């Protein structure tokens, strides 16, 4: 079959004369050798790697999209066949269509499909939709991944959710039947209905609307304004970096406004923790962009660690502690975070995470991440409601900016959607300042300078909370913070290691890992990359563990992990540039050295911060549930698992939280749900074990993860129904190194880790 130059020339001459040549069927000699299929395609003259179809009407795509292995134009709503059609020829008058039988591997001649309009070939070339025959015959690297054996493809389709994740060109339709798309000229095809249902014979399901949730289709992201490795210049990159971090302001700086006052810290302590958090976030983001997955994801203090931190802060032994309460609690948090992070790092770098990935699917990730946001429903509005005069306008303004004004562009930027949080905070903060200066919170006989002292006066007790949460001059951080302060490791003292808190953080590190797994996959899809391999995911999780160790040493009060809100930022800004994220991280490090910046951020009224967090936590819930797009949403199996997981994730902790009635006299109402660890129903002979179990079962995300993990891995269901994550394979690096080039470690680092297959090098 390798010969045939004379017959090829003869067929070419016949086509130039307008004669429909007789096409011999493709009968493989042995198996389904892609080289045989390619040789047959060359000999018959029907070689084309161009793509067109329904989705191409909006315009052509650049060659770079095809070289990167992204199929941007295949419409999976049609039964597209093997269109191994001719290269572009101005004398063409007919366009025969050859379809390869997906079961027998033999050609079926559909005959002449449609006559192209005069001049359509030239127009197709101008739009980048067609390529000459010489170019098609010469691009061996493009044809090799597409024209591969059909037997192997059917096997991959069964194992990879109906989509071949290893194809460098991604030319696979939604139902899992690998088909090469389309003619070299922009023609309109009428959908055909095959005699038999190929999907049923092969044993694969069809996704809603004919789309495969692993690649392309209904969830594929628009083109990025600034791609992963683009370099538009230093000034635009600095702008994009600041833009990226400003849109994440609520997640980066508001956690200390919750944790430090709860630990009994002063305003100066709050400013110091904010500066420390900026430094650690900058360092860990740069480390992850170089040595982790290398995706443009911001690392920061995660809300995954906030709920267990609140549980530890509100343990019984710390409730009545007065002297140095902040430092005692912070050091215990540091020790627990370090132990849990070491376990997470071991899980990643040992290769165990690659095995664990087989058990983690979107049906597990979705309710778990959603439970992270739902865990703070008892804190959110109760804390924001302490000053409704500023919290309600703040919530309404964020919603107006993101939902009603989000589509408005100013100088080409959707300012209201990108900067919804910082712009609304500045507006409402200024509004609160005028209320304070105008005397709205001055009460007769009460001291506005020291609001906390008013609780000692009977007439001012009812106004003490309002003054503390609403006034903008309550914090003295600006007066006490230094202009220059460099956060350093162990600044709060030597960490305290205790078994009870270490057990809690080890389990929480698993939740953080599952959260990051979903973020890796979703981020890769959003920026049109192939999903990382299990080894690359393991590398990312291992480095996140190391970054959390740094957070524990510096003392941020929480661990460092990938921020889920980063996915919303990428969608809003259309910027997924690694250098922009690195420059923004470098600016965070510089800002952390200026103590007054941390003091300004620490001076935000607590009710205002709680109002912003209400939106942020709701966004986390929505982003978590959006992971279900990779599953069959209409499946009763998935509906029941997600519903049961979320319900018990809220109800079981409520059962444990009712065992602490006496805390109502000591703790405010919004902290009572986090005080169940000391008084829960678990009573054994070991007090440390009792505390750990009561604490874990009072955490919404832990219970949700446990229920979802067990049900999803025991209830029968197909891979399509479960929405099993499609990860690339390590063999892709050997066959097509460029397909996973964006995840590759720097050359010098890769040489040091060439022996470690588990880290994806």
């Amino acid at each position: 079959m390798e010969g045939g130059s004379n017959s090829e020339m003869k067929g070419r001459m016949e086509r130039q004369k307008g004669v429909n040549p007789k096409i011999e069927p493709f009968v493989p000699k042995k198996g389904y050798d892609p080289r045989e299929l390619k040789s047959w395609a060359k000999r018959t003259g029907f070689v084309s790697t161009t793509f067109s179809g329904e989705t191409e009407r909006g315009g052509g795509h650049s060659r770079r999209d095809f070289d990167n292995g992204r199929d941007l134009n295949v419409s999976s709503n049609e039964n597209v066949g093997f269109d191994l059609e001719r290269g572009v020829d101005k004398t063409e008058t007919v366009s025969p269509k050859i379809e390869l039988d997906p079961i027998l591997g033999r050609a079926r001649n559909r005959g002449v499909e449609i006559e192209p309009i005069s001049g359509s070939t030239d127009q197709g070339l101008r739009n980048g939709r067609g390529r000459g025959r010489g170019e098609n015959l010469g691009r061996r690297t493009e044809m090799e991944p597409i024209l591969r054996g059909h037997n192997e493809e059917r096997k991959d389709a069964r194992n990879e959710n109906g989509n071949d994740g290893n194809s460098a060109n991604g030319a696979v339709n939604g139902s899992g039947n690998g088909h090469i798309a389309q003619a070299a000229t922009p023609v309109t095809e009428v959908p055909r209905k095959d005699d038999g249902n190929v999907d049923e014979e092969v044993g694969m399901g069809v996704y809603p609307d004919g789309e495969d949730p692993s690649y392309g289709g209904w969830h594929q992201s628009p083109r990025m304004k600034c791609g992963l490795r683009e370099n538009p210049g230093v000034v635009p990159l600095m702008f994009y970096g600041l833009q990226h971090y400003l849109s994440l302001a609520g997640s980066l700086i508001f956690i200390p406004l919750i944790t430090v006052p709860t630990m009994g810290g002063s305003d100066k302590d709050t400013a110091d923790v904010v500066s420390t958090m900026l430094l650690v976030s900058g360092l860990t983001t740069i480390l992850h962009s170089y040595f982790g997955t290398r995706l443009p994801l911001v690392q920061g203090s995660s809300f995954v660690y906030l709920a267990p931190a609140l549980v530890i802060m509100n343990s019984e032994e710390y409730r009545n502690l007065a002297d140095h309460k902040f430092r005692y609690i912070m050091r215990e948090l540091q020790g627990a975070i370090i132990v849990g992070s070491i376990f997470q790092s071991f899980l990643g770098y040992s290769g165990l995470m690659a095995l664990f990935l087989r058990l983690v699917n979107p049906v597990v990730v979705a309710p778990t991440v959603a439970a992270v946001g739902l865990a703070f429903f008892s804190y959110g509005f109760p804390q924001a409601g302490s000053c409704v005069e500023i919290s309600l306008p703040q919530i309404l303004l964020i919603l107006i900016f993101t939902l009603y004004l989000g589509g408005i562009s100013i100088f080409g930027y959707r300012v209201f959607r990108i900067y919804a949080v910082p712009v609304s905070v500045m507006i409402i903060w200024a509004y609160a300042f005028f209320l304070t200066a105008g005397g709205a919170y001055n009460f007769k006989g009460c001291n506005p300078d020291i609001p906390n002292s008013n609780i000692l006066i009977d007439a001012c007790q009812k106004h003490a909370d309002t003054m503390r949460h609403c006034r903008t001059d309550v914090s003295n951080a600006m007066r006490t913070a230094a202009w220059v302060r460099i956060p350093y490791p162990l600044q709060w003292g030597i960490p305290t290691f205790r078994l009870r808190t270490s057990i809690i953080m080890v389990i929480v590190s698993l939740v953080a890992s599952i959260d990051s797994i979903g973020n890796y996959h979703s981020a890769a899809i959003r920026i049109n990359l192939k999903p990382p391999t299990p080894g690359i995911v393991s590398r990312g999780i291992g480095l996140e563990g190391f970054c959390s160790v740094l957070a524990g040493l510096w003392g941020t009060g929480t661990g460092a992990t990938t921020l889920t809100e980063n996915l919303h930022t990428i969608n809003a800004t259309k910027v997924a540039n690694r250098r922009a994220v690195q420059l923004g991280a470098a600016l965070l490090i510089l800002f952390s050295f200026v103590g007054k910046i941390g003091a300004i951020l620490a001076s935000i009224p607590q009710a205002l911060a709680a109002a912003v967090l209400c939106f942020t936590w709701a966004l986390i819930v929505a982003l978590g549930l959006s992971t279900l797009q990779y599953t069959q949403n209409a499946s009763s199996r998935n509906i029941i698992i997600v519903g049961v997981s979320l319900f018990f994730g809220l109800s079981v902790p409520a059962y444990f939280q009712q065992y602490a009635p006496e805390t109502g006299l000591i703790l405010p109402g919004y902290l009572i749900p986090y005080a169940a660890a000391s008084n829960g129903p678990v009573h054994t002979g070991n007090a440390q074990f009792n505390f750990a179990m009561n604490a874990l079962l009072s955490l919404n995300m832990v219970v949700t993860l446990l229920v979802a993990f067990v049900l999803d891995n025991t209830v029968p269901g197909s891979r399509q129904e479960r929405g099993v994550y499609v990860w690339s394979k390590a063999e892709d690096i050997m066959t097509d190194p460029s397909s996973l080039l964006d995840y590759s470690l720097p050359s010098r680092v890769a040489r040091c880790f060439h022996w470690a297959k588990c880290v994806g090098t």
Side-chain angles (χ1 to χ4, degrees):
M1 295 182 67
E2 294 299 331
S5 59
N6 293 333
S7 60
E8 180 180 354
M9 182 64 67
K10 181 179 178 181
R12 191 176 303 173
M13 295 175 62
E14 289 178 349
R15 285 192 298 276
Q16 291 179 353
K17 294 178 181 179
V19 180
N20 184 18
K22 182 179 180 181
I23 306 300
E24 63 176 353
F26 171 67
V27 181
K29 294 181 178 179
K30 54 179 181 178
Y32 297 98
D33 188 356
R35 295 184 178 179
E36 289 188 50
L37 181 58
K38 179 180 177 182
S39 177
W40 170 82
K42 285 184 178 181
R43 184 158 49 82
T44 55
F46 293 89
V47 179
S48 176
T49 58
T50 57
F51 298 81
S52 61
E54 293 296 326
T55 60
E56 197 172 10
R57 294 175 181 174
H61 292 278
S62 65
R63 188 167 191 81
R64 176 185 174 192
D65 294 329
F66 298 100
D67 293 341
N68 288 338
R70 295 189 293 272
D71 180 8
L72 303 178
N73 301 317
V74 176
S75 174
S76 53
N77 291 329
E78 300 179 354
N79 239 344
V80 185
F82 263 87
D83 295 343
L84 299 173
E85 298 187 353
R86 292 172 291 164
V88 177
D89 194 330
K90 293 184 179 180
T91 61
E92 289 181 32
T93 57
V94 294
S95 177
K97 179 177 180 180
I98 304 300
E99 180 173 320
L100 196 66
D101 191 300
I103 304 300
L104 302 177
R106 298 176 180 174
R108 296 188 296 197
N109 195 338
R110 290 287 183 89
V112 178
E113 285 286 314
I114 188 170
E115 292 190 9
I117 302 174
S118 176
S120 62
T121 302
D122 293 337
Q123 181 67 27
L125 284 173
R126 284 193 294 268
N127 293 337
R129 300 178 186 177
R131 295 187 179 90
R133 181 183 298 124
E135 181 180 356
N136 288 329
L137 292 176
R139 288 196 58 83
R140 180 182 181 90
T141 57
E142 283 191 18
M143 291 298 297
E144 294 260 310
I146 299 178
L147 299 174
R148 58 174 185 236
H150 198 70
N151 254 3
E152 180 182 352
E153 188 170 355
R154 285 196 303 171
K155 182 179 179 181
D156 289 343
R158 291 192 186 100
N159 296 332
E160 297 295 340
N161 198 12
N163 189 344
D164 185 8
N166 299 327
S167 174
N169 290 304
V172 182
N173 69 350
S175 59
N177 301 323
H179 297 260
I180 300 176
Q182 138 156 5
T185 56
V187 298
T188 304
E189 294 184 2
V190 179
R192 297 178 178 273
K193 186 174 182 180
D194 288 343
D195 297 334
N197 191 337
V198 177
D199 290 324
E200 292 181 0
E201 293 185 43
V202 178
M204 293 181 294
V206 180
Y207 289 95
D209 301 327
E211 297 291 353
D212 189 334
S214 296
Y215 289 96
W218 49 273
H219 76 275
Q220 192 172 48
S221 301
R223 186 177 299 277
M224 292 288 108
K225 183 185 299 181
C226 187
L228 187 66
R229 290 187 289 172
E230 294 181 15
N231 187 10
V234 177
V235 175
L237 286 177
M238 292 182 65
F239 171 75
Y240 289 144
L242 284 175
Q243 169 184 276
H244 207 85
Y245 285 89
L246 282 175
S247 61
L248 291 170
S251 304
L252 288 173
I253 63 176
F254 284 168
I255 288 182
L257 301 183
I258 299 175
T259 58
V260 177
T262 304
M263 290 189 284
S266 62
D267 297 328
K268 182 179 181 299
D269 294 330
T270 304
D272 292 342
V273 174
V274 169
S275 298
T276 303
M277 193 164 288
L278 294 178
L279 173 65
V280 172
S281 179
L283 287 176
T284 55
T285 300
I286 292 176
L287 287 174
H288 188 83
S289 65
Y290 276 106
F291 311 116
T293 61
R294 309 207 71 195
L295 291 168
L297 299 174
V298 175
Q299 307 294 302
S301 293
S302 173
F303 291 111
V304 173
Y305 290 91
L306 179 57
L310 290 173
V311 168
I312 296 173
M313 296 172 195
N314 291 283
S315 60
E316 190 172 7
E317 64 181 283
Y318 292 130
R319 290 173 192 167
N320 298 320
L321 188 62
D323 297 334
H324 306 293
K325 178 180 179 180
F326 168 74
R327 289 183 176 269
Y328 279 120
I329 298 177
M330 179 61 80
R331 286 187 290 184
E332 182 161 353
L333 285 175
Q334 287 180 263
I337 291 170
I338 290 173
V339 173
S341 303
I342 291 175
F343 171 79
Q344 184 182 15
S345 187
F346 172 78
L347 188 67
Y349 286 127
S350 66
L352 293 177
M353 178 54 67
L355 301 177
F356 187 62
L357 283 178
R358 302 176 183 177
L359 305 177
V360 178
N361 305 313
V363 178
V364 177
V365 173
T368 302
V369 177
V372 173
L374 292 175
F376 306 104
F377 75 93
S378 62
Y379 182 94
F381 196 79
Q383 181 75 338
S386 60
C387 186
V388 293
E389 301 95 305
I390 62 176
S391 61
L392 283 181
Q394 174 66 52
I395 295 173
L396 291 176
L397 199 59
I398 293 181
L399 294 178
I400 290 173
F401 283 172
T402 55
L403 299 179
Y404 298 98
L405 303 180
I408 298 178
S409 296
I410 301 178
F411 301 111
Y413 295 94
R414 295 185 176 181
V415 176
F416 295 107
R417 178 178 297 176
I418 297 172
Y419 306 111
V421 171
V423 172
S424 62
V425 166
M426 287 189 291
I427 293 174
I428 301 301
W429 199 357
Y431 164 69
F433 172 79
F434 286 116
L435 288 180
T436 302
Y441 306 115
N442 292 338
F443 301 99
K444 185 178 180 180
C446 303
N447 187 354
D449 297 328
I450 312 177
N452 292 331
S453 64
N454 294 315
I455 198 172
L456 302 177
I457 305 174
D458 294 339
C460 297
Q461 287 183 1
K462 61 181 179 180
H463 304 302
D465 285 341
T466 301
M467 297 174 69
R468 186 171 66 251
H469 291 89
C470 298
R471 294 184 67 92
T472 57
D473 58 356
V474 172
S475 175
N476 61 358
M478 284 296 297
R479 296 189 296 271
T480 57
W483 275 100
V484 178
R485 182 184 183 275
I486 300 178
Y488 55 92
L490 306 180
Q491 56 187 330
W492 315 118
I494 303 299
T496 303
F497 298 94
R498 303 182 68 174
L499 177 62
R500 64 177 194 176
T501 53
S502 298
I503 295 175
I504 295 173
M505 287 301 177
V506 165
I507 302 301
V508 170
S509 67
L510 286 176
V511 180
S513 301
I514 290 175
D515 184 13
S516 296
I517 288 171
N519 292 335
Y520 295 162
H521 187 275
S522 298
I525 296 299
R526 277 172 167 81
I527 61 180
N528 298 322
L529 291 181
K530 292 190 66 176
T533 64
I536 295 173
V537 174
S538 298
R539 186 177 74 204
I541 297 299
L543 188 70
E544 283 194 10
F546 175 75
C547 292
S548 292
V549 171
L550 297 181
L553 291 175
W554 258 269
T556 60
T558 56
T561 186
T562 300
L563 298 180
T564 304
E565 309 85 280
N566 209 140
L567 303 177
H568 172 72
T569 299
I570 292 175
N571 278 341
T573 62
K574 298 297 182 293
V575 174
N577 187 272
R578 186 185 297 143
R579 294 182 180 179
V581 172
Q582 291 169 351
L583 278 177
L587 292 175
L588 283 189
I589 296 174
L590 292 178
F591 293 156
S592 68
F593 298 154
V594 183
K596 293 298 183 181
I597 292 180
I600 293 174
L601 299 175
S603 302
I604 298 176
Q606 292 187 12
L608 181 58
V612 174
L613 290 174
C614 286
F615 171 78
T616 303
W617 289 328
L619 180 62
I620 293 175
V621 175
L623 290 173
L625 293 178
S626 69
T627 310
L628 292 174
Q629 66 181 306
Y630 305 115
T631 69
Q632 289 185 354
N633 298 330
S635 168
S636 60
R637 172 193 182 273
N638 297 343
I639 293 174
I640 293 174
I641 291 177
V642 173
V644 170
S645 302
L646 285 176
F647 178 80
F648 282 104
L650 296 175
S651 186
V652 172
Y655 166 75
F656 278 77
Q657 292 160 8
Q658 70 181 356
Y659 279 86
E662 72 278 4
T663 57
L665 302 175
I666 304 173
L667 299 174
Y670 53 81
L671 291 179
I672 292 179
Y674 307 103
S678 300
N679 307 94
V682 177
H683 296 288
T684 63
N686 191 322
Q688 301 270 359
F689 180 78
N690 293 342
F691 184 91
M693 293 305 299
N694 286 320
L696 289 172
L697 293 176
S698 67
L699 297 176
N700 305 84
M701 54 189 174
V702 173
V703 177
T704 302
L705 170 62
L706 181 63
V707 175
F709 185 83
V710 172
L711 291 179
D712 185 56
N713 287 282
T714 55
V715 177
S718 65
R719 295 176 66 86
Q720 300 96 315
E721 185 178 20
R722 298 171 64 190
V724 177
Y725 279 132
V726 177
W727 303 107
S728 300
K729 297 180 180 179
E731 291 77 8
D732 294 350
I733 303 178
M734 302 298 296
T735 58
D736 185 12
S738 62
S739 64
L740 296 173
L741 184 62
D742 292 319
Y743 300 106
S744 300
L745 291 172
S747 57
R748 294 182 180 179
V749 179
R751 284 198 297 267
C752 298
F753 289 94
H754 65 89
W755 51 269
K757 296 182 180 179
C758 62
V759 297
T761 56

